[in-house]
Amino acid sequence: MTAEATTTAVCEVVDLVKHFGPVHAVDGLSLRVDPGEVLALVGESGSGKSTVGRLIVRLIDPTSGTVRIGGVDVGSMSRRALRPHRRTVSIVFQDPASSLDPRMRVGDIVAEPLRLHGVPRSDRSARVREVLEQVGMRAGVAERYPHELSGGQRQRVSIARALVSRPRLLVADEPTSALDVSVQASVLNLLTDLQRDLGFACLFITHDLAAVEYLADRVVVMYLGRVAEVGTRELIFEHPRHPYTQALLSAAPVPDPSRQRKRTRVVLSGELPSQIDPPSGCRFHTRCPLAEDRCRTEVPALREMSHGSVACHLVADDGTGPDVRDLPDPTQPSRLVERRR
Ligand code: SF4
């Protein structure tokens, strides 16, 4: 990573570690979010991706590692020293029903970050009106309580609260997965429009690959607390290099069926292993159709290649390597591979 890149990132985390007692939620993760980009952080439930979001906004403290916001190391700052930096990073949670205080009116909920940052009351109300309008809500909604709103409206309120202090980075943690399918698209469209119009960077945490393909500029694929692969959206969807990314994509519904011609559908065996005592070597080796002996003992380094990085022993420095979707069936282990029609 170049020195120049380091100074321009909105957010950069280096070797981030978070252990909750014996649980290794995040284990040496590095990533950067550049100004104005949407970086998707993708992984299964239990991969540690939500923990990364909470570490970046400093809702929780890291066990070790660096979190830089706008070039400033906030990882070790006291809560008080951190306060000015809090305005530059906001978070939207999965479930607006539990993240909005039911006793507060919408206007006060949205204004609260401004109040905490000492913005005078007279300036707050104009800004609240403006941001409610930006998320597509009428000004009258400011007088209502969260329980009077639908799930989609409540998530719009959460987004308004997150954007009221004009952050440079929005962390969106599964922002649509608790919503009815019928309103998921409208909230996703809203986030996309706001991101384009207001120009903030977004760390979009999700397991939904269709949403990632729709709005991400770059993608970080996470597996059991570590990065498996990083790449531009085009690279991840057209030429995934890590066997785990390939397996995820083979299982996901993709709008253009021609792209999956002659591909094998890879069914990963079993659940994600426990974050307590994770597998040795490559953490994916217990489910990887290509695992070799060394995968069980040697941790693959995350190596930079054109358009991204990959952590797999079998991927060459030029990015070439096997694709689990090309494995023939039925000669391969049946627990892992199932032929696509
Ligand atoms: Fe599979 Fe080995 Fe690559 Fe890990 S390092 S993804 S186990 S081939």
Side-chain angles (χ1 to χ4, degrees):
M1 202 163 284
T2 65
E4 184 192 7
T6 303
T7 54
T8 56
V10 176
C11 168
E12 184 179 22
V13 305
V14 182
D15 270 338
L16 197 60
V17 174
K18 180 62 182 177
H19 294 170
F20 298 98
V23 176
H24 294 210
V26 179
D27 243 342
L29 178 133
S30 300
L31 59 79
R32 53 180 286 122
V33 189
D34 288 324
E37 81 165 340
V38 178
L39 181 71
L41 183 58
V42 180
E44 291 167 273
S45 171
S47 62
K49 59 190 190 304
S50 288
T51 304
V52 174
R54 283 164 170 73
L55 288 165
I56 286 175
V57 298
R58 276 292 302 273
L59 281 176
I60 52 176
D61 296 332
T63 304
S64 63
T66 306
V67 178
R68 288 193 201 99
I69 300 295
V72 178
D73 183 355
V74 299
S76 52
M77 276 184 181
S78 67
R79 300 272 155 192
R80 190 184 178 84
L82 197 61
R83 202 173 280 177
H85 299 284
R86 286 213 185 272
R87 283 186 81 153
T88 61
V89 188
S90 295
I91 187 164
V92 174
F93 295 102
Q94 179 173 356
D95 184 4
S98 57
S99 64
L100 301 180
D101 187 336
R103 297 159 304 180
M104 289 173 72
R105 292 181 198 272
V106 165
D108 293 330
I109 290 172
V110 175
E112 193 173 28
L114 299 179
R115 187 180 64 76
L116 293 174
H117 291 299
V119 175
R121 181 185 288 271
S122 51
D123 296 342
R124 281 185 239 151
S125 48
R127 175 62 186 145
V128 167
R129 270 199 306 279
E130 180 183 41
V131 77
L132 282 173
E133 195 173 307
Q134 283 173 332
V135 301
M137 303 196 82
R138 287 172 290 108
V141 82
E143 299 305 318
R144 300 174 68 178
Y145 288 93
H147 71 84
E148 299 177 271
L149 307 177
S150 69
Q153 287 173 322
R154 283 199 289 260
Q155 196 58 308
R156 284 171 190 261
V157 171
S158 303
I159 294 168
R161 180 181 59 182
L163 296 181
V164 73
S165 52
R166 298 187 172 89
R168 292 188 65 209
L169 173 67
L170 179 72
V171 176
D173 184 5
E174 301 269 15
T176 61
S177 55
L179 304 178
D180 281 353
V181 174
S182 59
V183 295
Q184 286 183 356
S186 64
V187 171
L188 219 48
N189 284 338
L190 172 69
L191 271 175
T192 311
D193 291 347
L194 289 168
Q195 193 272 334
R196 191 191 52 225
D197 295 347
L198 304 177
F200 53 83
C202 182
L203 179 67
F204 181 61
I205 299 171
T206 187
H207 66 278
D208 179 355
L209 288 171
V212 171
E213 189 167 27
Y214 176 62
L215 56 79
D217 297 308
R218 287 191 307 129
V219 183
V220 174
V221 180
M222 205 175 156
Y223 188 81
L224 267 187
R226 291 191 183 148
V227 172
E229 179 164 11
V230 182
T232 58
R233 176 187 53 200
E234 292 75 17
L235 181 120
I236 292 289
F237 282 89
E238 300 296 332
H239 305 288
R241 300 185 272 204
H242 195 284
Y244 178 57
T245 317
Q246 294 162 353
L248 280 182
L249 285 169
S250 86
V254 176
D256 175 6
S258 67
R259 281 168 41 180
Q260 289 198 342
R261 249 189 347 236
K262 294 189 198 141
R263 289 296 198 197
T264 299
R265 178 175 156 82
V266 184
V267 179
L268 292 176
S269 63
E271 299 290 311
L272 196 68
S274 168
Q275 293 171 316
I276 301 173
D277 196 18
S280 58
C282 175
R283 291 194 172 171
F284 187 50
H285 84 250
T286 55
R287 300 165 86 196
C288 179
L290 301 170
E292 301 179 342
D293 282 349
R294 65 174 162 161
C295 302
R296 291 177 247 288
T297 53
E298 288 174 38
V299 178
L302 185 68
R303 286 171 295 139
E304 282 199 28
M305 302 169 186
S306 62
H307 306 294
S309 324
V310 185
C312 172
H313 294 308
L314 301 192
V315 180
D317 288 342
D318 66 359
T320 57
D323 191 320
V324 295
R325 299 169 299 174
D326 292 333
L327 287 173
D329 179 64
T331 55
Q332 294 302 310
S334 59
R335 67 190 175 89
L336 295 169
V337 181
E338 159 189 308
R339 172 69 87 188
R340 187 172 282 282
R341 294 160 310 278

